[in-house]
Amino acid sequence: MTTVLGCIADDFTGATDLAGLLARSGVRVSLRIGVPSEAPTDPAAFEVIALKSRTAPVAEAVAETLSALTWLREAGARRFFWKYCSTFDSTAEGNIGPVAEALMAELGSEQTIYCPAFPENGRSIFMGNLFVGRQPLAESPMKDHPLTPMRDSNLMRLLEPQVTRAVGLADRLTVSRGPQALRAELDALKAQGVAHVVVDAVANEDLTIIAEACRDMTLMTGGSAVAMPLPALYLADGTLSADAPKAEAPRIDARTIVLSGSCSAMTNKQVADYTSRGVPAFQLDPLSLAENGPQKALDWLAKQDLEKAPLIYATANPESVRAAQERLGVAGAGEIVEATLSACAVAARDNGARRVIVAGGETSGAVTKALGVTQLDIGIEIAPGVPWTYCRSDGHPIALTLKSGNFGAETFFTDAQERLAT
Ligand code: ADP
């Protein structure tokens, strides 16, 4: 199998989100954490490389992305997708524009599109202005983001300082006239030298039209949603053969560990729901961890029946989090919890756990690193944007799900186990 679409995402949970949407097609999707150090041996039809480049210095983000591009080309990809956040998280320096321009230069591509719309999640674009629900981006909570505050809602104005070539718009009036009209508009803009085209989309149908018009572009850029129609389009036109490898769901031993390091509102509810079911649970306290280390948690874990899917959690309400952070510092408290949950993940695996459920974006990064996981095959979706994945850790086949902050329903931890049982 050679790769049909090579995708590069600027952060890990964004990569999971994109991989999950592509996997809805049933075709095999593989996610790599960072650029693999080895040449591709068994590439999937859809390969997604997760970088950590969203807020990295521009030169670093460009270099990492180009090295991902090289790997994807070696995997056989001739079409590429650059995935960033649906709220266009960036600053006047980048990294969305500079990375896109570097990819275009390397690929010899004259034009690309920018479509961060994700209507199912309330992100829509009209006349080049991005909305979060009913609010313009610059009036949404994104205006106060600590690293990438979004103070303008107009994507053309946001993009212009980030790129050297001309920026334009294909608006909803054009998109609503169908793929041919959009294709003609893109060609007309190209003839005027417009290299960067923001494309309006307010509904899923718009995304299908855009994907159809742009499926043969060497480079497309956007949020995850505009890529979702691509597998079906590639299957329909034979770009992807009907016998392309399907996503597999290997049988995985049912011994399970649940690890939660997220303190988001939804995760607090999920932990409360799970503990109310009488499941064995151990609460980590950052202050006592700082004093006594992780041994007490590890001793507790060693005694557990993993068939009961025990939970180890640091999840706490905002007051407790603040108290821990005041004593240990924000980074200090985070690190101590992440290190403990990572040690618990490794110990649980060594005790026979083969299903690992993790809550928390940063926590997921720490746990995958500790488990030595660098490649994941995407499986069934548990909640929108949160799939089960299959990987290997220390030679063992493992089912792993990584849930960031507010994703999933209140019953997520049991939902995840039930999805795998079917
Ligand atoms: P989310 O996806 O909800 O943002 P993350 O795992 O990305 O979750 O971030 C949560 C951070 O908070 C992690 O660094 C974690 O180690 C830290 N943390 C977890 N529990 C506590 C706690 N009780 N006190 C202080 N920090 C905590």
Side-chain angles (χ1 to χ4, degrees):
M1 186 72 221
T2 58
T3 297
V4 171
L5 185 70
C7 307
I8 304 169
D10 67 355
D11 86 337
F12 180 71
T13 43
T16 320
D17 167 18
L18 171 64
L21 293 185
L22 291 169
R24 283 186 184 174
S25 65
V27 176
R28 184 172 166 229
V29 180
S30 162
L31 192 161
R32 318 266 169 180
I33 304 174
V35 184
S37 49
E38 280 157 26
T41 47
D42 177 28
F46 294 88
E47 285 283 349
V48 181
I49 297 184
L51 302 179
K52 242 182 143 172
S53 59
R54 182 167 299 166
T55 53
V58 179
E60 205 176 298
V62 165
E64 260 194 69
T65 311
L66 292 180
S67 113
L69 176 68
T70 303
W71 190 92
L72 292 167
R73 280 173 140 175
E74 281 171 25
R78 296 292 171 265
R79 295 178 183 78
F80 302 89
F81 191 87
W82 162 230
K83 152 81 174 76
Y84 38 80
C85 191
S86 61
T87 41
F88 212 70
D89 301 18
S90 55
T91 66
E93 285 74 47
N95 289 332
I96 295 174
V99 166
E101 261 187 351
L103 287 168
M104 288 169 81
E106 187 63 30
L107 292 166
S109 143
E110 286 298 303
Q111 190 181 59
T112 191
I113 61 152
Y114 295 78
C115 186
F118 196 158
E120 268 181 70
N121 284 350
R123 314 287 195 266
S124 55
I125 311 168
F126 186 66
M127 297 300 159
N129 293 284
L130 182 59
F131 292 83
V132 177
R134 293 179 173 192
Q135 290 174 314
L137 177 65
E139 292 169 34
S140 78
M142 280 305 295
K143 71 181 189 302
D144 300 319
H145 190 281
L147 302 174
T148 51
M150 303 307 291
R151 300 272 162 78
D152 195 340
S153 307
N154 185 284
L155 292 173
M156 286 84 76
R157 277 200 305 262
L158 286 167
L159 195 54
E160 255 152 21
Q162 299 185 28
V163 292
T164 58
R165 301 177 63 189
V167 176
L169 170 70
D171 71 24
R172 176 92 205 296
L173 303 177
T174 303
V175 173
S176 66
R177 283 172 30 232
Q180 280 180 344
L182 177 55
R183 195 58 269 157
E185 177 73 4
L186 290 169
D187 287 343
L189 287 165
K190 197 194 272 182
Q192 294 163 29
V194 177
H196 306 283
V197 186
V198 172
V199 186
D200 276 354
V202 300
N204 269 338
E205 300 80 75
D206 298 337
L207 297 176
T208 309
I209 291 168
I210 296 165
E212 199 167 338
C214 300
R215 70 180 163 194
D216 289 326
M217 272 187 164
T218 318
L219 176 71
M220 283 172 72
T221 90
S224 52
V226 74
M228 190 164 48
L230 292 173
L233 291 167
Y234 293 156
L235 280 165
D237 71 5
T239 305
L240 189 62
S241 81
D243 56 7
K246 300 278 176 283
E248 281 180 33
R251 292 202 75 77
I252 302 268
D253 187 291
R255 282 171 292 174
T256 303
I257 183 76
V258 185
L259 302 165
S260 180
S262 156
C263 297
S264 299
M266 183 47 91
T267 310
N268 269 286
K269 289 187 190 160
Q270 289 161 340
V271 165
D273 176 88
Y274 198 56
T275 51
S276 77
R277 293 165 193 259
V279 177
F282 186 93
Q283 182 167 19
L284 299 174
D285 168 20
L287 296 173
S288 103
L289 287 174
E291 230 164 84
N292 309 311
Q295 200 52 47
K296 212 168 141 198
L298 292 167
D299 290 345
W300 179 85
L301 175 60
K303 289 196 227 99
Q304 296 311 305
D305 174 3
L306 295 172
E307 300 276 350
K308 294 194 177 138
L311 163 71
I312 299 180
Y313 65 104
T315 305
N317 60 34
E319 297 83 71
S320 319
V321 172
R322 222 170 296 124
Q325 289 175 336
E326 267 163 28
R327 296 275 296 276
L328 305 168
V330 174
E335 276 160 25
I336 216 159
V337 168
E338 284 166 35
T340 306
L341 289 172
S342 298
C344 291
V346 171
R349 178 202 65 198
D350 292 346
N351 286 346
R354 297 292 176 262
R355 300 181 181 187
V356 181
I357 300 173
V358 187
E362 290 300 322
T363 309
S364 294
V367 168
T368 45
K369 198 164 174 201
L371 291 175
V373 172
T374 54
Q375 190 268 332
L376 309 154
D377 265 28
I378 308 300
I380 40 175
E381 229 172 357
I382 303 160
V386 197
W388 269 109
T389 70
Y390 300 101
C391 59
R392 296 192 84 81
S393 173
D394 197 30
H396 303 290
I398 302 275
L400 180 64
T401 183
L402 307 165
K403 180 201 86 79
S404 69
N406 286 315
F407 281 63
E410 241 167 85
T411 49
F412 179 81
F413 297 133
T414 42
D415 293 347
Q417 294 170 51
E418 280 164 15
R419 284 297 275 150
L420 218 52
T422 56

